[in-house]
Amino acid sequence: MDAEAQDSFREFVANRSSALLKTAVLLSGGDRHAGEDLLQNALIKAAGRWHRIDEPEAYVRRILYRQQISRWRLKRRGRELSVAEPPEPGTDGGSASADAELRLVMRGALARLTARQRTMLVLRYFEDLPEAEVARILGCSVGTVRSTTHRSLARLRALAPELRPLGASEAERRPSGDYPPVEVRS
């Protein structure tokens, strides 16, 4: 890598590494060390091809996603993250402590999802990618993205019921057999 490419790479890392690290930590279930490893490996791969990369951030993110996919495809069951029960939500919803508690609950619940479920949720909701883009990145169908995302959200709500009021619409809060009354006009 020549001096100009090195400067460009260093500038990219300095400017974008914090945002990329957030994504990597989420992809790895809230484990900061695993997220740092994931990002470091992605940056090493990107550095080797730096002179050929047109959109560096998209390229590094794609490496992050693919590395995480490779990890959950290996089906290594040897390391399981044990977490304590999530804390009770605070009474004041707007305080910094309540926000911190919410982040802890969310991190704990995400860590208890499978890597595949976590990856789908991070791509769909944190990265705000459309279903078709997630399907392209993960190499699956749009239907698989939809069904996995739906099951992942249901599992997340089951693992952390205190999160339910935050994102659930009225229809999602209602039991599946209960439907709103329909007005019939004659």
Side-chain angles (χ1 to χ4, degrees):
M1 187 182 311
D2 63 357
E4 183 179 324
Q6 279 184 340
D7 290 341
S8 171
F9 181 74
R10 284 187 182 130
E11 181 180 333
F12 171 76
V13 171
N15 291 335
R16 299 304 305 154
S17 63
S18 64
L20 292 168
L21 180 60
K22 287 179 186 177
T23 300
V25 168
L26 285 172
L27 285 170
S28 54
D31 183 350
R32 183 168 176 89
H33 297 293
E36 289 171 349
D37 289 344
L38 189 65
L39 178 59
Q40 186 68 31
N41 290 334
L43 290 173
I44 289 169
K45 288 181 180 185
R49 301 179 188 268
W50 190 253
H51 61 280
R52 292 183 280 185
I53 300 174
D54 293 329
E55 295 180 37
E57 185 160 354
Y59 187 84
V60 171
R61 285 182 187 277
R62 192 172 308 119
I63 293 171
L64 287 173
Y65 306 147
R66 289 184 177 167
Q67 280 182 236
Q68 186 60 28
I69 291 168
S70 295
R71 286 182 179 182
W72 53 258
R73 282 187 177 156
L74 287 175
K75 296 186 179 181
R76 290 189 313 164
R77 304 230 185 247
R79 238 179 72 175
E80 225 176 79
L81 179 64
S82 299
V83 296
E85 290 296 316
E88 292 295 320
T91 55
D92 53 346
S95 74
S97 65
D99 292 343
E101 284 183 31
L102 180 61
R103 282 193 301 276
L104 289 172
V105 169
M106 179 63 84
R107 180 174 290 164
L110 282 172
R112 293 170 58 194
L113 295 175
T114 66
R116 181 181 179 99
Q117 291 173 329
R118 196 171 41 248
T119 301
M120 289 284 185
L121 292 179
V122 168
L123 292 176
R124 281 290 289 130
Y125 298 108
F126 182 75
E127 292 293 324
D128 200 25
L129 296 177
E131 292 169 340
E133 180 68 13
V134 173
R136 187 188 64 71
I137 289 170
L138 299 179
C140 61
S141 70
V142 173
T144 301
V145 171
R146 287 180 184 155
S147 62
T148 304
T149 302
H150 177 74
R151 284 191 305 273
S152 302
L153 285 173
R155 178 123 192 269
L156 187 67
R157 289 184 187 113
L159 291 171
E162 57 271 28
L163 298 176
R164 184 168 293 149
L166 295 176
S169 67
E170 185 60 38
E172 290 172 323
R173 285 187 210 120
R174 191 179 309 115
S176 60
D178 296 341
Y179 296 98
V182 176
E183 182 181 332
V184 179
R185 295 181 184 175
S186 40

